[in-house]
Amino acid sequence: MTDLAAIARSGPASTAVDLAGLTVEALAALVVELGGKPFQGRQLFRWIHRRGVIDLDAMTDLPKDLRARLAEQAVVRTPEVVRRDVSSDGTTKLLLRLDDGREIEAVFIPDTPSQTFCISTQVGCAMKCVFCLTGTMGLARHLSASEIAGQIRVLARELGFLDRPFNVVLMGMGEPLHNYDATMAALRLIGSADGLHVSPRRVTLSTVGLVPGLDRLAGEDYMPNLAISLHATTEAQRDALVPINRKYSLSDLMAACRRFPLKKRSRITFEYVLLDGVNDTAEDARRLVRLMNGLRAKVNLLPLNAATGIPFGRPADQRVDAFAQILANAHITVSVRKSRGRDIRAACGQLVVDNNN
Ligand code: SAH
């Protein structure tokens, strides 16, 4: 049986190795073990990651007997598209089903001004930020490197980007630094010159600020851009909005940002969700200015995407502008995130899937 796609759907009981999660080197070693040549591992990697082909039968430049032996002990797992929602603004949300039946969401956001894929790193999230719908799910499980990279492969294939450049933001469901190893392994898979060759400059990792993870990230050679979900300017306020602050405090987080090795001309993005009457006063803005002092930073304001079950409101545009103006007056680069795909629940903090129990 050489139909890998069929085996890939065979469910979580399967302990077979997932070829889509292996590096070129690991594939080469496996192929050699099965009597093949190292370069055939590279061919296999290119089929999967560059061309998005997961059916072993279609990999016609690999010897038939090698394919048969691979199929006996390995699978190529890939997230299955179960729904595709297209927003009036072109934002496209894919509902993806994983091997064990759990579901995640991945989003394509056109013209921001570039083309951006927003992907998930976990099913649900353990961080429970009080304004985020994903947080209400809790954490069902981590995603594997194959499942994280697989979202990009599927988006690229479905939207015609296998040969066109795109950006990647790790801003879907989950906290990437809580699933550190799989996330970084996935970034190396998509960054490989034998795969989609996505430059780390095109990738942004957004984190709630797990300090040990940030310090580890500082030593990586595949170094994505960094975005920090700050959302508050005092310890008490952040404790209330972003519960993980009780473990990794605002002051520890800012210290980690200050020692983070930034590439030439690059800056840390600080995301700040604006909650009406909660953290959007002039005083908050002035404290934010002081926190940014001496940092190569830019601030991205996210007026709340309100939702039922979220006990906060979105500030009026004037209030958002006034907040932004205080930052701009202090010479801080500030932008207001335009909410995309709200009509299909694809906007920030709105990714949630119900049937993951
Ligand atoms: N866990 C990571 C990745 C999620 S990124 C992180 O926290 O950075 C998603 C971004 O959208 C985060 O900045 C998150 O705080 C923000 N967000 C969550 N809920 C939101 C909402 N309802 N409206 C606007 N932004 C929200």
Side-chain angles (χ1 to χ4, degrees):
M1 173 143 181
T2 56
D3 183 3
L4 278 194
I7 303 173
R9 286 191 291 272
S10 65
S14 159
T15 53
V17 48
D18 180 3
L19 298 178
L22 300 183
T23 60
V24 174
E25 294 74 24
L27 283 177
L30 178 67
V31 163
V32 168
E33 231 174 79
L34 298 177
K37 303 270 192 309
F39 76 89
Q40 289 164 335
R42 189 177 299 277
Q43 281 176 307
L44 191 51
F45 188 95
R46 288 183 178 173
W47 276 112
I48 298 170
H49 294 280
R50 185 185 285 175
R51 301 161 86 164
V53 171
I54 57 155
D55 178 1
L56 218 64
D57 287 332
M59 304 182 186
T60 43
D61 57 358
L62 291 174
K64 230 179 162 156
D65 55 331
L66 175 63
R67 284 186 267 151
R69 262 171 281 147
L70 277 167
E72 276 164 24
Q73 47 179 285
V75 293
V76 184
R77 292 196 205 284
T78 203
E80 182 193 350
V81 182
V82 288
R83 207 178 64 222
R84 182 176 176 147
D85 292 318
V86 184
S87 160
S88 53
D89 66 20
T91 300
T92 302
K93 182 169 81 169
L94 300 183
L95 177 67
L96 301 171
R97 184 168 299 142
L98 307 171
D99 231 55
D100 62 354
R102 292 191 193 274
E103 293 175 344
I104 52 169
E105 294 180 321
V107 182
F108 166 62
I109 312 154
D111 314 316
T112 50
S114 11
Q115 318 304 319
T116 302
F117 295 162
C118 176
I119 60 160
S120 299
T121 54
Q122 297 175 315
V123 185
C125 186
M127 299 299 131
K128 297 201 175 297
C129 301
V130 295
F131 45 82
C132 179
L133 266 188
T134 307
T136 62
M137 294 173 62
L139 177 66
R141 70 165 171 88
H142 293 304
L143 296 182
S144 66
S146 166
E147 289 167 334
I148 298 170
Q151 294 167 67
I152 305 209
R153 214 169 57 234
V154 169
L155 280 164
R157 193 190 64 209
E158 292 283 312
L159 293 146
F161 277 89
L162 287 173
D163 302 312
R164 288 195 285 157
F166 53 82
N167 293 342
V168 174
V169 296
L170 304 181
M171 297 189 185
M173 295 164 69
E175 164 50 44
L177 296 185
H178 187 207
N179 186 17
Y180 189 97
D181 291 326
T183 296
M184 291 313 296
L187 294 187
R188 284 189 288 269
L189 290 175
I190 65 159
S192 166
D194 290 301
L196 290 172
H197 207 178
V198 179
S199 154
R201 292 193 174 277
R202 288 190 165 274
V203 179
T204 299
L205 184 152
S206 178
T207 174
V208 72
L210 306 185
V211 171
L214 280 173
D215 286 335
R216 247 184 106 183
L217 188 64
E220 296 284 350
D221 44 344
Y222 191 95
M223 174 71 79
N225 301 305
L226 184 59
I228 302 283
S229 289
L230 197 66
H231 308 321
T233 53
T234 68
E235 299 288 357
Q237 196 184 38
R238 200 163 191 269
D239 281 351
L241 298 178
V242 181
I244 198 68
N245 195 66
R246 294 169 209 159
K247 188 158 181 196
Y248 303 114
S249 69
L250 180 60
S251 77
D252 289 351
L253 171 57
M254 294 312 296
C257 290
R258 283 174 200 286
R259 63 178 175 261
F260 196 82
L262 283 176
K263 283 181 291 202
K264 243 195 201 159
R265 284 192 297 278
S266 88
R267 288 181 286 182
I268 298 180
T269 299
F270 288 88
E271 297 160 281
Y272 191 97
V273 66
L274 288 167
L275 310 172
D276 191 28
V278 175
N279 65 352
D280 64 343
T281 65
E283 205 183 321
D284 287 302
R286 286 192 291 269
R287 272 197 303 263
L288 184 52
V289 168
R290 284 199 291 278
L291 279 178
M292 297 295 106
N293 192 18
L295 266 167
R296 276 155 61 196
K298 51 188 170 185
V299 172
N300 192 206
L301 300 174
L302 290 66
L304 179 76
N305 292 313
T308 24
I310 299 296
F312 299 99
R314 180 189 181 92
D317 290 351
Q318 282 162 317
R319 240 179 127 79
V320 175
D321 291 345
F323 195 98
Q325 196 58 54
I326 293 173
L327 298 175
N329 289 346
H331 308 291
I332 292 170
T333 307
V334 56
S335 55
V336 178
R337 188 173 299 177
K338 207 173 134 223
S339 181
R340 303 288 301 261
R342 258 195 287 170
D343 54 340
I344 55 165
R345 280 211 332 196
C348 299
Q350 296 196 310
L351 300 186
V352 61
V353 289
D354 309 321
N355 53 340
N356 273 307
N357 307 308

